[in-house]
Amino acid sequence: IVACIVKVDVLYSLIAKKPKMEGLMALLLAAAVAFMATTNTISSTSVSLEGKTLPLLRSMPVKTKDILVAKLNMHLLITQPLTLVSSIVILVLFRADILCSILILILPAAMNIFIAVFGLYMNLLLPKLEWASEAVAVKQSASPMITMFTGFTLIIVAVLLYVFLFFGTLTLPVYAGIVTLFLLLVSF
């Protein structure tokens, strides 16, 4: 985001020289925001942070599903506004057309939802419940690392697929719609 603000003139000159770059630039900027969203792995440690109090939490008259949905909602409540602000900053600087603008708004939000769901799933599979400090549960647990690297890999694969296979054959909004739909379907 900072690079886009500082070097906005470079972006404009690239797009002016090659009009086809506009779609690719929109994809790269949306991927950059989505990439930042994958570093927010709040839900991937939310079960581990319960630690020794997990049996107490499970004994309460609250459905397990409600507890897990609350953990997902907390992740999204913290991360979605920041992702939205980052996307809006890019929109203001980039001055994209309407379809690219929708892409820049929706694709990172879909990645955020995927990271929330996948992170919680990984934390249920690989919880770290024995710890002396909360930092151990967050920094030395496998679930945040797996969640983050899975998000990174998905973004890199999506960009490379578009650049090397679909650039010129699929329009960017169609491709971004497919990727967004895939992320949302996998999340639910």
Side-chain angles (χ1 to χ4, degrees):
I1 302 296
V2 174
C4 289
I5 293 170
V6 174
K7 297 291 186 178
V8 72
D9 55 332
V10 174
L11 287 176
Y12 291 147
S13 67
L14 276 173
I15 294 168
K17 289 178 187 174
K18 297 182 181 181
K20 284 191 171 185
M21 284 291 288
E22 182 176 3
L24 186 59
M25 193 64 64
L27 175 66
L28 293 175
L29 292 172
V33 176
F35 197 81
M36 289 185 297
T38 63
T39 62
N40 298 317
T41 59
I42 297 166
S43 65
S44 67
T45 58
S46 60
V47 174
S48 294
L49 287 172
E50 298 296 339
K52 295 175 184 167
T53 63
L54 190 59
L56 176 66
L57 181 64
R58 294 189 74 193
S59 70
M60 293 183 178
V62 180
K63 295 178 187 172
T64 303
K65 179 184 176 185
D66 293 339
I67 294 169
L68 297 177
V69 168
K71 291 180 181 301
L72 286 176
N73 287 338
M74 181 56 74
H75 175 104
L76 295 173
L77 182 69
I78 293 170
T79 59
Q80 283 293 40
L82 299 172
T83 302
L84 183 64
V85 167
S86 298
S87 296
I88 289 171
V89 167
I90 286 176
L91 286 176
V92 168
L93 293 174
F94 188 58
R95 295 181 290 199
D97 63 13
I98 189 71
L99 291 175
C100 289
S101 299
I102 292 169
L103 158 74
I104 292 170
L105 288 171
I106 293 178
L107 188 60
M111 178 55 85
N112 226 354
I113 293 167
F114 171 78
I115 289 297
V117 173
F118 185 74
L120 185 60
Y121 176 73
M122 290 309 300
N123 198 216
L124 290 171
L125 287 179
L126 303 167
K128 186 168 185 79
L129 301 174
E130 301 294 325
W131 42 263
S133 164
E134 288 91 356
V136 172
V138 173
K139 297 182 182 217
Q140 294 179 8
S141 179
S143 57
M145 183 178 65
I146 292 170
T147 302
M148 202 178 323
F149 286 123
T150 300
F152 292 166
T153 303
L154 281 173
I155 293 166
I156 291 168
V157 167
V159 170
L160 291 177
L161 279 174
Y162 183 74
V163 170
F164 292 112
L165 290 179
F166 300 116
F167 190 70
T169 58
L170 273 179
T171 64
L172 182 66
V174 170
Y175 181 73
I178 292 168
V179 171
T180 302
L181 188 62
F182 170 77
L183 289 172
L184 293 174
L185 286 174
V186 171
S187 297
F188 297 103

PDB file of all heavy atoms in Angstrom, residues 132-172:
ATOM      1  N   ALA A 132       3.040 -22.227  28.553  1.00  0.00           N
ATOM      2  CA  ALA A 132       3.246 -21.415  29.752  1.00  0.00           C
ATOM      3  C   ALA A 132       2.903 -19.954  29.492  1.00  0.00           C
ATOM      4  O   ALA A 132       2.568 -19.208  30.406  1.00  0.00           O
ATOM      5  CB  ALA A 132       4.693 -21.543  30.220  1.00  0.00           C
ATOM      6  N   SER A 133       2.989 -19.546  28.237  1.00  0.00           N
ATOM      7  CA  SER A 133       2.715 -18.166  27.851  1.00  0.00           C
ATOM      8  C   SER A 133       1.877 -18.157  26.577  1.00  0.00           C
ATOM      9  O   SER A 133       2.023 -19.034  25.724  1.00  0.00           O
ATOM     10  CB  SER A 133       4.049 -17.443  27.602  1.00  0.00           C
ATOM     11  OG  SER A 133       3.857 -16.263  26.888  1.00  0.00           O
ATOM     12  N   GLU A 134       1.010 -17.162  26.429  1.00  0.00           N
ATOM     13  CA  GLU A 134       0.189 -17.066  25.231  1.00  0.00           C
ATOM     14  C   GLU A 134       1.044 -16.934  23.976  1.00  0.00           C
ATOM     15  O   GLU A 134       0.661 -17.375  22.898  1.00  0.00           O
ATOM     16  CB  GLU A 134      -0.776 -15.870  25.314  1.00  0.00           C
ATOM     17  CG  GLU A 134      -1.904 -16.047  26.285  1.00  0.00           C
ATOM     18  CD  GLU A 134      -1.569 -15.539  27.684  1.00  0.00           C
ATOM     19  OE1 GLU A 134      -0.404 -15.120  27.904  1.00  0.00           O
ATOM     20  OE2 GLU A 134      -2.448 -15.583  28.548  1.00  0.00           O
ATOM     21  N   ALA A 135       2.212 -16.342  24.118  1.00  0.00           N
ATOM     22  CA  ALA A 135       3.110 -16.179  22.970  1.00  0.00           C
ATOM     23  C   ALA A 135       3.518 -17.533  22.391  1.00  0.00           C
ATOM     24  O   ALA A 135       3.683 -17.672  21.184  1.00  0.00           O
ATOM     25  CB  ALA A 135       4.348 -15.385  23.380  1.00  0.00           C
ATOM     26  N   VAL A 136       3.651 -18.526  23.234  1.00  0.00           N
ATOM     27  CA  VAL A 136       4.005 -19.870  22.766  1.00  0.00           C
ATOM     28  C   VAL A 136       2.878 -20.433  21.908  1.00  0.00           C
ATOM     29  O   VAL A 136       3.120 -21.015  20.846  1.00  0.00           O
ATOM     30  CB  VAL A 136       4.321 -20.806  23.956  1.00  0.00           C
ATOM     31  CG1 VAL A 136       4.507 -22.236  23.497  1.00  0.00           C
ATOM     32  CG2 VAL A 136       5.549 -20.315  24.704  1.00  0.00           C
ATOM     33  N   ALA A 137       1.640 -20.224  22.333  1.00  0.00           N
ATOM     34  CA  ALA A 137       0.488 -20.725  21.581  1.00  0.00           C
ATOM     35  C   ALA A 137       0.368 -20.047  20.223  1.00  0.00           C
ATOM     36  O   ALA A 137      -0.084 -20.653  19.258  1.00  0.00           O
ATOM     37  CB  ALA A 137      -0.796 -20.519  22.383  1.00  0.00           C
ATOM     38  N   VAL A 138       0.801 -18.809  20.149  1.00  0.00           N
ATOM     39  CA  VAL A 138       0.682 -18.059  18.904  1.00  0.00           C
ATOM     40  C   VAL A 138       1.899 -18.274  18.001  1.00  0.00           C
ATOM     41  O   VAL A 138       1.769 -18.551  16.818  1.00  0.00           O
ATOM     42  CB  VAL A 138       0.492 -16.553  19.191  1.00  0.00           C
ATOM     43  CG1 VAL A 138       0.530 -15.734  17.918  1.00  0.00           C
ATOM     44  CG2 VAL A 138      -0.806 -16.323  19.945  1.00  0.00           C
ATOM     45  N   LYS A 139       3.073 -18.158  18.560  1.00  0.00           N
ATOM     46  CA  LYS A 139       4.293 -18.151  17.743  1.00  0.00           C
ATOM     47  C   LYS A 139       4.922 -19.517  17.514  1.00  0.00           C
ATOM     48  O   LYS A 139       5.722 -19.674  16.603  1.00  0.00           O
ATOM     49  CB  LYS A 139       5.323 -17.213  18.368  1.00  0.00           C
ATOM     50  CG  LYS A 139       4.835 -15.786  18.388  1.00  0.00           C
ATOM     51  CD  LYS A 139       5.864 -14.857  18.947  1.00  0.00           C
ATOM     52  CE  LYS A 139       5.279 -13.463  18.986  1.00  0.00           C
ATOM     53  NZ  LYS A 139       6.199 -12.442  18.689  1.00  0.00           N
ATOM     54  N   GLN A 140       4.581 -20.495  18.327  1.00  0.00           N
ATOM     55  CA  GLN A 140       5.193 -21.807  18.169  1.00  0.00           C
ATOM     56  C   GLN A 140       4.184 -22.894  17.808  1.00  0.00           C
ATOM     57  O   GLN A 140       4.452 -24.070  17.950  1.00  0.00           O
ATOM     58  CB  GLN A 140       5.949 -22.188  19.442  1.00  0.00           C
ATOM     59  CG  GLN A 140       7.130 -21.290  19.711  1.00  0.00           C
ATOM     60  CD  GLN A 140       7.853 -21.650  20.990  1.00  0.00           C
ATOM     61  OE1 GLN A 140       7.584 -22.656  21.622  1.00  0.00           O
ATOM     62  NE2 GLN A 140       8.789 -20.808  21.376  1.00  0.00           N
ATOM     63  N   SER A 141       3.042 -22.477  17.337  1.00  0.00           N
ATOM     64  CA  SER A 141       2.006 -23.421  16.926  1.00  0.00           C
ATOM     65  C   SER A 141       2.089 -23.623  15.413  1.00  0.00           C
ATOM     66  O   SER A 141       2.448 -22.709  14.671  1.00  0.00           O
ATOM     67  CB  SER A 141       0.636 -22.863  17.307  1.00  0.00           C
ATOM     68  OG  SER A 141      -0.376 -23.728  16.905  1.00  0.00           O
ATOM     69  N   ALA A 142       1.757 -24.807  14.974  1.00  0.00           N
ATOM     70  CA  ALA A 142       1.830 -25.114  13.543  1.00  0.00           C
ATOM     71  C   ALA A 142       0.673 -24.487  12.765  1.00  0.00           C
ATOM     72  O   ALA A 142       0.828 -24.132  11.597  1.00  0.00           O
ATOM     73  CB  ALA A 142       1.831 -26.627  13.339  1.00  0.00           C
ATOM     74  N   SER A 143      -0.477 -24.325  13.397  1.00  0.00           N
ATOM     75  CA  SER A 143      -1.653 -23.871  12.650  1.00  0.00           C
ATOM     76  C   SER A 143      -1.513 -22.463  12.055  1.00  0.00           C
ATOM     77  O   SER A 143      -1.914 -22.267  10.901  1.00  0.00           O
ATOM     78  CB  SER A 143      -2.916 -23.991  13.497  1.00  0.00           C
ATOM     79  OG  SER A 143      -2.809 -23.286  14.692  1.00  0.00           O
ATOM     80  N   PRO A 144      -0.943 -21.468  12.745  1.00  0.00           N
ATOM     81  CA  PRO A 144      -0.798 -20.164  12.081  1.00  0.00           C
ATOM     82  C   PRO A 144       0.163 -20.215  10.892  1.00  0.00           C
ATOM     83  O   PRO A 144      -0.087 -19.591   9.864  1.00  0.00           O
ATOM     84  CB  PRO A 144      -0.260 -19.235  13.161  1.00  0.00           C
ATOM     85  CG  PRO A 144      -0.309 -19.955  14.417  1.00  0.00           C
ATOM     86  CD  PRO A 144      -0.556 -21.391  14.141  1.00  0.00           C
ATOM     87  N   MET A 145       1.234 -20.971  11.030  1.00  0.00           N
ATOM     88  CA  MET A 145       2.206 -21.066   9.950  1.00  0.00           C
ATOM     89  C   MET A 145       1.583 -21.746   8.729  1.00  0.00           C
ATOM     90  O   MET A 145       1.722 -21.271   7.605  1.00  0.00           O
ATOM     91  CB  MET A 145       3.440 -21.840  10.414  1.00  0.00           C
ATOM     92  CG  MET A 145       4.529 -21.916   9.373  1.00  0.00           C
ATOM     93  SD  MET A 145       5.998 -22.759   9.940  1.00  0.00           S
ATOM     94  CE  MET A 145       5.388 -24.403  10.207  1.00  0.00           C
ATOM     95  N   ILE A 146       0.887 -22.848   8.950  1.00  0.00           N
ATOM     96  CA  ILE A 146       0.245 -23.564   7.838  1.00  0.00           C
ATOM     97  C   ILE A 146      -0.811 -22.678   7.182  1.00  0.00           C
ATOM     98  O   ILE A 146      -0.919 -22.617   5.957  1.00  0.00           O
ATOM     99  CB  ILE A 146      -0.361 -24.890   8.329  1.00  0.00           C
ATOM    100  CG1 ILE A 146       0.753 -25.852   8.738  1.00  0.00           C
ATOM    101  CG2 ILE A 146      -1.260 -25.510   7.271  1.00  0.00           C
ATOM    102  CD1 ILE A 146       0.273 -27.098   9.453  1.00  0.00           C
ATOM    103  N   THR A 147      -1.582 -21.967   7.996  1.00  0.00           N
ATOM    104  CA  THR A 147      -2.620 -21.080   7.472  1.00  0.00           C
ATOM    105  C   THR A 147      -2.012 -19.984   6.613  1.00  0.00           C
ATOM    106  O   THR A 147      -2.466 -19.722   5.490  1.00  0.00           O
ATOM    107  CB  THR A 147      -3.427 -20.459   8.629  1.00  0.00           C
ATOM    108  OG1 THR A 147      -4.007 -21.501   9.403  1.00  0.00           O
ATOM    109  CG2 THR A 147      -4.502 -19.523   8.117  1.00  0.00           C
ATOM    110  N   MET A 148      -0.983 -19.340   7.117  1.00  0.00           N
ATOM    111  CA  MET A 148      -0.352 -18.244   6.395  1.00  0.00           C
ATOM    112  C   MET A 148       0.269 -18.719   5.080  1.00  0.00           C
ATOM    113  O   MET A 148       0.056 -18.117   4.036  1.00  0.00           O
ATOM    114  CB  MET A 148       0.716 -17.589   7.282  1.00  0.00           C
ATOM    115  CG  MET A 148       1.042 -16.193   6.859  1.00  0.00           C
ATOM    116  SD  MET A 148       2.259 -15.333   7.895  1.00  0.00           S
ATOM    117  CE  MET A 148       1.923 -15.843   9.527  1.00  0.00           C
ATOM    118  N   PHE A 149       1.010 -19.804   5.128  1.00  0.00           N
ATOM    119  CA  PHE A 149       1.668 -20.284   3.914  1.00  0.00           C
ATOM    120  C   PHE A 149       0.668 -20.846   2.899  1.00  0.00           C
ATOM    121  O   PHE A 149       0.899 -20.753   1.692  1.00  0.00           O
ATOM    122  CB  PHE A 149       2.762 -21.293   4.247  1.00  0.00           C
ATOM    123  CG  PHE A 149       3.988 -20.646   4.827  1.00  0.00           C
ATOM    124  CD1 PHE A 149       4.471 -21.032   6.062  1.00  0.00           C
ATOM    125  CD2 PHE A 149       4.639 -19.623   4.150  1.00  0.00           C
ATOM    126  CE1 PHE A 149       5.591 -20.426   6.602  1.00  0.00           C
ATOM    127  CE2 PHE A 149       5.755 -19.010   4.686  1.00  0.00           C
ATOM    128  CZ  PHE A 149       6.232 -19.410   5.913  1.00  0.00           C
ATOM    129  N   THR A 150      -0.440 -21.374   3.361  1.00  0.00           N
ATOM    130  CA  THR A 150      -1.488 -21.812   2.436  1.00  0.00           C
ATOM    131  C   THR A 150      -2.088 -20.601   1.719  1.00  0.00           C
ATOM    132  O   THR A 150      -2.309 -20.634   0.509  1.00  0.00           O
ATOM    133  CB  THR A 150      -2.586 -22.597   3.179  1.00  0.00           C
ATOM    134  OG1 THR A 150      -1.994 -23.741   3.784  1.00  0.00           O
ATOM    135  CG2 THR A 150      -3.696 -23.030   2.243  1.00  0.00           C
ATOM    136  N   GLY A 151      -2.334 -19.539   2.456  1.00  0.00           N
ATOM    137  CA  GLY A 151      -2.836 -18.306   1.839  1.00  0.00           C
ATOM    138  C   GLY A 151      -1.856 -17.728   0.839  1.00  0.00           C
ATOM    139  O   GLY A 151      -2.241 -17.342  -0.277  1.00  0.00           O
ATOM    140  N   PHE A 152      -0.568 -17.669   1.220  1.00  0.00           N
ATOM    141  CA  PHE A 152       0.459 -17.174   0.304  1.00  0.00           C
ATOM    142  C   PHE A 152       0.476 -17.998  -0.976  1.00  0.00           C
ATOM    143  O   PHE A 152       0.524 -17.473  -2.082  1.00  0.00           O
ATOM    144  CB  PHE A 152       1.847 -17.240   0.940  1.00  0.00           C
ATOM    145  CG  PHE A 152       2.081 -16.304   2.086  1.00  0.00           C
ATOM    146  CD1 PHE A 152       3.178 -16.481   2.904  1.00  0.00           C
ATOM    147  CD2 PHE A 152       1.230 -15.253   2.362  1.00  0.00           C
ATOM    148  CE1 PHE A 152       3.424 -15.634   3.966  1.00  0.00           C
ATOM    149  CE2 PHE A 152       1.449 -14.394   3.421  1.00  0.00           C
ATOM    150  CZ  PHE A 152       2.563 -14.585   4.227  1.00  0.00           C
ATOM    151  N   THR A 153       0.435 -19.323  -0.820  1.00  0.00           N
ATOM    152  CA  THR A 153       0.501 -20.229  -1.966  1.00  0.00           C
ATOM    153  C   THR A 153      -0.703 -20.042  -2.885  1.00  0.00           C
ATOM    154  O   THR A 153      -0.545 -19.993  -4.114  1.00  0.00           O
ATOM    155  CB  THR A 153       0.588 -21.687  -1.490  1.00  0.00           C
ATOM    156  OG1 THR A 153       1.729 -21.827  -0.638  1.00  0.00           O
ATOM    157  CG2 THR A 153       0.705 -22.646  -2.654  1.00  0.00           C
ATOM    158  N   LEU A 154      -1.888 -19.917  -2.307  1.00  0.00           N
ATOM    159  CA  LEU A 154      -3.087 -19.709  -3.126  1.00  0.00           C
ATOM    160  C   LEU A 154      -2.986 -18.429  -3.954  1.00  0.00           C
ATOM    161  O   LEU A 154      -3.341 -18.410  -5.140  1.00  0.00           O
ATOM    162  CB  LEU A 154      -4.334 -19.656  -2.249  1.00  0.00           C
ATOM    163  CG  LEU A 154      -4.883 -20.980  -1.772  1.00  0.00           C
ATOM    164  CD1 LEU A 154      -6.012 -20.761  -0.777  1.00  0.00           C
ATOM    165  CD2 LEU A 154      -5.368 -21.811  -2.940  1.00  0.00           C
ATOM    166  N   ILE A 155      -2.503 -17.363  -3.342  1.00  0.00           N
ATOM    167  CA  ILE A 155      -2.388 -16.091  -4.058  1.00  0.00           C
ATOM    168  C   ILE A 155      -1.362 -16.191  -5.177  1.00  0.00           C
ATOM    169  O   ILE A 155      -1.620 -15.775  -6.314  1.00  0.00           O
ATOM    170  CB  ILE A 155      -2.015 -14.954  -3.083  1.00  0.00           C
ATOM    171  CG1 ILE A 155      -3.172 -14.704  -2.116  1.00  0.00           C
ATOM    172  CG2 ILE A 155      -1.673 -13.674  -3.841  1.00  0.00           C
ATOM    173  CD1 ILE A 155      -2.807 -13.867  -0.935  1.00  0.00           C
ATOM    174  N   ILE A 156      -0.216 -16.753  -4.871  1.00  0.00           N
ATOM    175  CA  ILE A 156       0.837 -16.875  -5.883  1.00  0.00           C
ATOM    176  C   ILE A 156       0.373 -17.750  -7.038  1.00  0.00           C
ATOM    177  O   ILE A 156       0.559 -17.404  -8.213  1.00  0.00           O
ATOM    178  CB  ILE A 156       2.137 -17.408  -5.241  1.00  0.00           C
ATOM    179  CG1 ILE A 156       2.719 -16.339  -4.312  1.00  0.00           C
ATOM    180  CG2 ILE A 156       3.149 -17.821  -6.298  1.00  0.00           C
ATOM    181  CD1 ILE A 156       3.824 -16.832  -3.408  1.00  0.00           C
ATOM    182  N   VAL A 157      -0.269 -18.872  -6.732  1.00  0.00           N
ATOM    183  CA  VAL A 157      -0.762 -19.767  -7.787  1.00  0.00           C
ATOM    184  C   VAL A 157      -1.829 -19.066  -8.628  1.00  0.00           C
ATOM    185  O   VAL A 157      -1.820 -19.165  -9.865  1.00  0.00           O
ATOM    186  CB  VAL A 157      -1.299 -21.085  -7.182  1.00  0.00           C
ATOM    187  CG1 VAL A 157      -2.099 -21.883  -8.186  1.00  0.00           C
ATOM    188  CG2 VAL A 157      -0.150 -21.911  -6.638  1.00  0.00           C
ATOM    189  N   ALA A 158      -2.731 -18.331  -7.997  1.00  0.00           N
ATOM    190  CA  ALA A 158      -3.782 -17.631  -8.741  1.00  0.00           C
ATOM    191  C   ALA A 158      -3.196 -16.591  -9.689  1.00  0.00           C
ATOM    192  O   ALA A 158      -3.607 -16.492 -10.855  1.00  0.00           O
ATOM    193  CB  ALA A 158      -4.769 -16.972  -7.771  1.00  0.00           C
ATOM    194  N   VAL A 159      -2.226 -15.818  -9.219  1.00  0.00           N
ATOM    195  CA  VAL A 159      -1.600 -14.801 -10.075  1.00  0.00           C
ATOM    196  C   VAL A 159      -0.830 -15.469 -11.214  1.00  0.00           C
ATOM    197  O   VAL A 159      -0.949 -15.066 -12.376  1.00  0.00           O
ATOM    198  CB  VAL A 159      -0.680 -13.872  -9.247  1.00  0.00           C
ATOM    199  CG1 VAL A 159       0.163 -12.986 -10.157  1.00  0.00           C
ATOM    200  CG2 VAL A 159      -1.508 -13.009  -8.300  1.00  0.00           C
ATOM    201  N   LEU A 160      -0.051 -16.494 -10.906  1.00  0.00           N
ATOM    202  CA  LEU A 160       0.729 -17.169 -11.947  1.00  0.00           C
ATOM    203  C   LEU A 160      -0.166 -17.853 -12.979  1.00  0.00           C
ATOM    204  O   LEU A 160       0.145 -17.835 -14.177  1.00  0.00           O
ATOM    205  CB  LEU A 160       1.693 -18.174 -11.323  1.00  0.00           C
ATOM    206  CG  LEU A 160       2.851 -17.566 -10.523  1.00  0.00           C
ATOM    207  CD1 LEU A 160       3.700 -18.660  -9.887  1.00  0.00           C
ATOM    208  CD2 LEU A 160       3.697 -16.640 -11.376  1.00  0.00           C
ATOM    209  N   LEU A 161      -1.253 -18.451 -12.539  1.00  0.00           N
ATOM    210  CA  LEU A 161      -2.192 -19.059 -13.485  1.00  0.00           C
ATOM    211  C   LEU A 161      -2.744 -18.020 -14.456  1.00  0.00           C
ATOM    212  O   LEU A 161      -2.846 -18.264 -15.661  1.00  0.00           O
ATOM    213  CB  LEU A 161      -3.347 -19.744 -12.746  1.00  0.00           C
ATOM    214  CG  LEU A 161      -3.082 -21.125 -12.195  1.00  0.00           C
ATOM    215  CD1 LEU A 161      -4.266 -21.603 -11.368  1.00  0.00           C
ATOM    216  CD2 LEU A 161      -2.797 -22.111 -13.315  1.00  0.00           C
ATOM    217  N   TYR A 162      -3.099 -16.865 -13.907  1.00  0.00           N
ATOM    218  CA  TYR A 162      -3.635 -15.824 -14.791  1.00  0.00           C
ATOM    219  C   TYR A 162      -2.563 -15.326 -15.760  1.00  0.00           C
ATOM    220  O   TYR A 162      -2.816 -15.206 -16.962  1.00  0.00           O
ATOM    221  CB  TYR A 162      -4.206 -14.660 -13.985  1.00  0.00           C
ATOM    222  CG  TYR A 162      -4.826 -13.609 -14.884  1.00  0.00           C
ATOM    223  CD1 TYR A 162      -6.044 -13.853 -15.497  1.00  0.00           C
ATOM    224  CD2 TYR A 162      -4.191 -12.411 -15.140  1.00  0.00           C
ATOM    225  CE1 TYR A 162      -6.621 -12.921 -16.346  1.00  0.00           C
ATOM    226  CE2 TYR A 162      -4.754 -11.468 -15.986  1.00  0.00           C
ATOM    227  CZ  TYR A 162      -5.967 -11.728 -16.588  1.00  0.00           C
ATOM    228  OH  TYR A 162      -6.517 -10.803 -17.430  1.00  0.00           O
ATOM    229  N   VAL A 163      -1.383 -15.040 -15.252  1.00  0.00           N
ATOM    230  CA  VAL A 163      -0.322 -14.481 -16.090  1.00  0.00           C
ATOM    231  C   VAL A 163       0.098 -15.456 -17.183  1.00  0.00           C
ATOM    232  O   VAL A 163       0.260 -15.073 -18.345  1.00  0.00           O
ATOM    233  CB  VAL A 163       0.891 -14.055 -15.221  1.00  0.00           C
ATOM    234  CG1 VAL A 163       2.087 -13.716 -16.086  1.00  0.00           C
ATOM    235  CG2 VAL A 163       0.515 -12.875 -14.338  1.00  0.00           C
ATOM    236  N   PHE A 164       0.281 -16.725 -16.837  1.00  0.00           N
ATOM    237  CA  PHE A 164       0.843 -17.671 -17.800  1.00  0.00           C
ATOM    238  C   PHE A 164      -0.186 -18.498 -18.576  1.00  0.00           C
ATOM    239  O   PHE A 164       0.138 -19.019 -19.637  1.00  0.00           O
ATOM    240  CB  PHE A 164       1.839 -18.605 -17.103  1.00  0.00           C
ATOM    241  CG  PHE A 164       3.071 -17.893 -16.648  1.00  0.00           C
ATOM    242  CD1 PHE A 164       3.339 -17.731 -15.302  1.00  0.00           C
ATOM    243  CD2 PHE A 164       3.959 -17.360 -17.571  1.00  0.00           C
ATOM    244  CE1 PHE A 164       4.480 -17.064 -14.880  1.00  0.00           C
ATOM    245  CE2 PHE A 164       5.097 -16.686 -17.167  1.00  0.00           C
ATOM    246  CZ  PHE A 164       5.356 -16.535 -15.816  1.00  0.00           C
ATOM    247  N   LEU A 165      -1.403 -18.621 -18.073  1.00  0.00           N
ATOM    248  CA  LEU A 165      -2.386 -19.441 -18.776  1.00  0.00           C
ATOM    249  C   LEU A 165      -3.590 -18.660 -19.306  1.00  0.00           C
ATOM    250  O   LEU A 165      -4.076 -18.941 -20.395  1.00  0.00           O
ATOM    251  CB  LEU A 165      -2.896 -20.562 -17.863  1.00  0.00           C
ATOM    252  CG  LEU A 165      -1.925 -21.678 -17.534  1.00  0.00           C
ATOM    253  CD1 LEU A 165      -2.568 -22.683 -16.596  1.00  0.00           C
ATOM    254  CD2 LEU A 165      -1.448 -22.370 -18.797  1.00  0.00           C
ATOM    255  N   PHE A 166      -4.089 -17.722 -18.537  1.00  0.00           N
ATOM    256  CA  PHE A 166      -5.360 -17.106 -18.885  1.00  0.00           C
ATOM    257  C   PHE A 166      -5.270 -15.671 -19.369  1.00  0.00           C
ATOM    258  O   PHE A 166      -6.272 -15.114 -19.808  1.00  0.00           O
ATOM    259  CB  PHE A 166      -6.318 -17.181 -17.689  1.00  0.00           C
ATOM    260  CG  PHE A 166      -6.600 -18.582 -17.245  1.00  0.00           C
ATOM    261  CD1 PHE A 166      -6.208 -19.017 -15.990  1.00  0.00           C
ATOM    262  CD2 PHE A 166      -7.243 -19.469 -18.085  1.00  0.00           C
ATOM    263  CE1 PHE A 166      -6.463 -20.318 -15.585  1.00  0.00           C
ATOM    264  CE2 PHE A 166      -7.505 -20.768 -17.690  1.00  0.00           C
ATOM    265  CZ  PHE A 166      -7.113 -21.194 -16.443  1.00  0.00           C
ATOM    266  N   PHE A 167      -4.105 -15.034 -19.293  1.00  0.00           N
ATOM    267  CA  PHE A 167      -3.956 -13.645 -19.744  1.00  0.00           C
ATOM    268  C   PHE A 167      -4.210 -13.586 -21.247  1.00  0.00           C
ATOM    269  O   PHE A 167      -3.547 -14.234 -22.029  1.00  0.00           O
ATOM    270  CB  PHE A 167      -2.557 -13.118 -19.418  1.00  0.00           C
ATOM    271  CG  PHE A 167      -2.411 -11.639 -19.636  1.00  0.00           C
ATOM    272  CD1 PHE A 167      -3.043 -10.745 -18.810  1.00  0.00           C
ATOM    273  CD2 PHE A 167      -1.637 -11.147 -20.685  1.00  0.00           C
ATOM    274  CE1 PHE A 167      -2.911  -9.384 -18.988  1.00  0.00           C
ATOM    275  CE2 PHE A 167      -1.497  -9.788 -20.878  1.00  0.00           C
ATOM    276  CZ  PHE A 167      -2.136  -8.904 -20.026  1.00  0.00           C
ATOM    277  N   GLY A 168      -5.200 -12.856 -21.647  1.00  0.00           N
ATOM    278  CA  GLY A 168      -5.549 -12.758 -23.056  1.00  0.00           C
ATOM    279  C   GLY A 168      -6.724 -13.642 -23.449  1.00  0.00           C
ATOM    280  O   GLY A 168      -7.398 -13.371 -24.428  1.00  0.00           O
ATOM    281  N   THR A 169      -6.965 -14.718 -22.690  1.00  0.00           N
ATOM    282  CA  THR A 169      -8.094 -15.590 -23.022  1.00  0.00           C
ATOM    283  C   THR A 169      -9.294 -15.330 -22.120  1.00  0.00           C
ATOM    284  O   THR A 169     -10.430 -15.353 -22.583  1.00  0.00           O
ATOM    285  CB  THR A 169      -7.699 -17.083 -22.917  1.00  0.00           C
ATOM    286  OG1 THR A 169      -7.226 -17.358 -21.611  1.00  0.00           O
ATOM    287  CG2 THR A 169      -6.629 -17.433 -23.935  1.00  0.00           C
ATOM    288  N   LEU A 170      -9.044 -15.101 -20.842  1.00  0.00           N
ATOM    289  CA  LEU A 170     -10.109 -14.754 -19.897  1.00  0.00           C
ATOM    290  C   LEU A 170      -9.936 -13.301 -19.486  1.00  0.00           C
ATOM    291  O   LEU A 170      -8.825 -12.855 -19.224  1.00  0.00           O
ATOM    292  CB  LEU A 170     -10.005 -15.605 -18.633  1.00  0.00           C
ATOM    293  CG  LEU A 170     -10.674 -16.961 -18.586  1.00  0.00           C
ATOM    294  CD1 LEU A 170     -10.421 -17.630 -17.250  1.00  0.00           C
ATOM    295  CD2 LEU A 170     -12.145 -16.880 -18.842  1.00  0.00           C
ATOM    296  N   THR A 171     -11.041 -12.590 -19.412  1.00  0.00           N
ATOM    297  CA  THR A 171     -10.929 -11.230 -18.905  1.00  0.00           C
ATOM    298  C   THR A 171     -10.653 -11.289 -17.407  1.00  0.00           C
ATOM    299  O   THR A 171     -11.014 -12.265 -16.731  1.00  0.00           O
ATOM    300  CB  THR A 171     -12.214 -10.419 -19.164  1.00  0.00           C
ATOM    301  OG1 THR A 171     -13.275 -11.023 -18.427  1.00  0.00           O
ATOM    302  CG2 THR A 171     -12.532 -10.357 -20.640  1.00  0.00           C
ATOM    303  N   LEU A 172     -10.025 -10.262 -16.911  1.00  0.00           N
ATOM    304  CA  LEU A 172      -9.667 -10.238 -15.500  1.00  0.00           C
ATOM    305  C   LEU A 172     -10.872 -10.348 -14.579  1.00  0.00           C
ATOM    306  O   LEU A 172     -10.835 -11.120 -13.627  1.00  0.00           O
ATOM    307  CB  LEU A 172      -8.857  -8.983 -15.179  1.00  0.00           C
ATOM    308  CG  LEU A 172      -8.403  -8.900 -13.739  1.00  0.00           C
ATOM    309  CD1 LEU A 172      -7.406 -10.003 -13.433  1.00  0.00           C
ATOM    310  CD2 LEU A 172      -7.805  -7.568 -13.444  1.00  0.00           C
TER     311      LEU A 172
END
